[in-house]
Amino acid sequence: MKKSQITSLEEFQTTGYFLQENFISQAECDSLLKLIADYRRANSVPKIYRNVKPIPLSRSVINGKIIQSQIREVQKLYETMNQVINNLTNKQLFPLQDIQVGCNINITEKGGTYQWHYDRNAITALLYLNKVDGGEIEFYPNYRIILPNAKFSRFQSVIDRVQQLSFFCHIFGKQIIIKPQPGLLLVMAGDKCLHSVRPVTEAKDRINIVMAYDLPNANFVIKDKLNTYLYSSKKFDNTDPSYIMFG
Ligand SMILES: O=C(O)CCC(=O)C(=O)O
Ligand SMILES: [Fe+2]
């Protein structure tokens, strides 16, 4: 292992996240932004709005199936990033089996936000392609009290709800706020790190690529409900899609 790799691994293991500025160059960001703009000129991109408190989910998304078949450069990036993630975590992780979810392009317009949540998967890499006013990601690394083998259970949902109360975060969490900038890479343990996106305050879209990795046998029992919630404009009942709720 290279020395820089060991340093990054230690940093990731102690802090629960990893940041690298200029992971890709401005020119590479521009070329990815152009591909995304070309796609958007020819296709409509669904906007997902879920009126949850205190921060709604309000963003448009190009899902992984489209990326795989039509935006090949982004798909290649998802695949090459896998090695970076494995070096950083010292684990053998893989792209998600659920292609729709594995790699996404999030487009957040003025006023848009992303609700407080944990990701379903173990490791998430966020690559920011541009700079906007507002739109900071706010997160609490390695914050979640996670139930072994019961990450999607009703009991886990109770723990998560308590931990998401703002006074709880302020007392027990370490708050990190990161402004998007072109080429910035943020890697986090997505299922342990509580995170949200603050409102974009200028009339320009915030654009980033979200890449998810996990063990090959990772099983997301909440998959169907959560996918409807995150990717379709269908109405959704009140139960939280991140958990299995009986009765
Ligand atoms: O856009 C971001 O900075 C975070 C997005 C996110 O958390 C997600 O898509 O799961
Ligand atoms: Fe997330």
Side-chain angles (χ1 to χ4, degrees):
M1 229 191 258
K2 280 190 285 181
K3 191 156 175 270
S4 62
Q5 216 169 298
I6 297 172
T7 320
S8 307
L9 172 65
E10 282 169 358
E11 181 185 328
F12 186 76
Q13 281 172 348
T14 49
T15 62
Y17 71 100
F18 173 79
L19 257 184
Q20 188 171 330
E21 287 185 11
N22 303 312
F23 178 80
I24 60 170
S25 65
Q26 179 70 59
E28 287 169 310
C29 290
D30 290 344
S31 109
L32 291 168
L33 285 168
K34 183 175 179 308
L35 293 174
I36 296 166
D38 290 347
Y39 176 82
R40 293 174 75 190
R41 252 190 302 279
N43 303 273
S44 74
V45 175
K47 179 167 177 195
I48 314 302
Y49 180 77
R50 306 289 179 195
N51 187 16
V52 285
K53 299 211 161 34
I55 301 178
L57 169 61
S58 174
R59 62 93 172 82
S60 301
V61 59
I62 303 177
N63 77 53
K65 282 190 194 156
I66 295 168
I67 292 169
Q68 192 185 54
S69 59
Q70 297 186 58
I71 318 184
R72 296 295 305 166
E73 285 305 310
V74 174
Q75 177 66 25
K76 268 193 243 157
L77 193 66
Y78 181 38
E79 287 159 18
T80 51
M81 184 69 80
N82 203 157
Q83 194 53 51
V84 176
I85 297 301
N86 288 357
N87 293 342
L88 187 61
T89 57
N90 207 21
K91 289 191 179 130
Q92 276 275 322
L93 301 176
F94 293 85
L96 298 197
Q97 276 170 18
D98 188 339
I99 309 284
Q100 182 182 38
V101 183
C103 181
N104 286 180
I105 297 165
N106 278 354
I107 300 165
T108 314
E109 63 188 17
K110 186 176 184 193
T113 50
Y114 205 116
Q115 71 183 84
W116 285 111
H117 68 287
Y118 298 101
D119 297 331
R120 74 185 80 179
N121 56 287
I123 300 291
T124 305
L126 297 155
L127 183 62
Y128 296 93
L129 299 183
N130 64 359
K131 181 173 181 289
V132 287
D133 293 339
E136 301 88 351
I137 179 164
E138 176 176 346
F139 62 98
Y140 294 84
N142 279 350
Y143 175 65
R144 192 184 202 183
I145 299 168
I146 197 162
L147 297 172
N149 307 319
K151 181 161 99 165
F152 306 110
S153 67
R154 180 189 273 262
F155 192 42
Q156 182 71 57
S157 90
V158 175
I159 297 174
D160 290 351
R161 256 182 287 149
V162 173
Q163 279 202 289
Q164 280 174 38
L165 298 171
S166 62
F167 78 89
F168 223 88
C169 297
H170 287 125
I171 295 171
F172 297 107
K174 179 174 161 56
Q175 182 195 48
I176 316 272
I177 297 168
I178 306 283
K179 282 179 188 296
Q181 66 177 63
L184 176 71
L185 172 70
L186 168 61
V187 181
M188 59 164 80
D191 63 348
K192 297 197 185 77
C193 175
L194 180 62
H195 56 287
S196 73
V197 176
R198 294 181 165 183
V200 172
T201 55
E202 76 171 288
K204 176 176 156 192
D205 293 340
R206 171 193 195 266
I207 301 184
N208 64 331
I209 304 174
V210 185
M211 292 164 272
Y213 302 89
D214 211 319
L215 296 171
N217 57 352
N219 176 19
F220 307 112
V221 278
I222 37 83
K223 171 177 176 281
D224 292 341
K225 236 176 8 144
L226 187 55
N227 287 3
T228 307
Y229 183 88
L230 292 175
Y231 299 103
S232 88
S233 311
K234 276 196 207 132
K235 264 200 164 0
F236 207 84
D237 60 28
N238 279 333
T239 51
D240 194 327
S242 289
Y243 311 95
I244 329 165
M245 295 294 195
F246 300 107

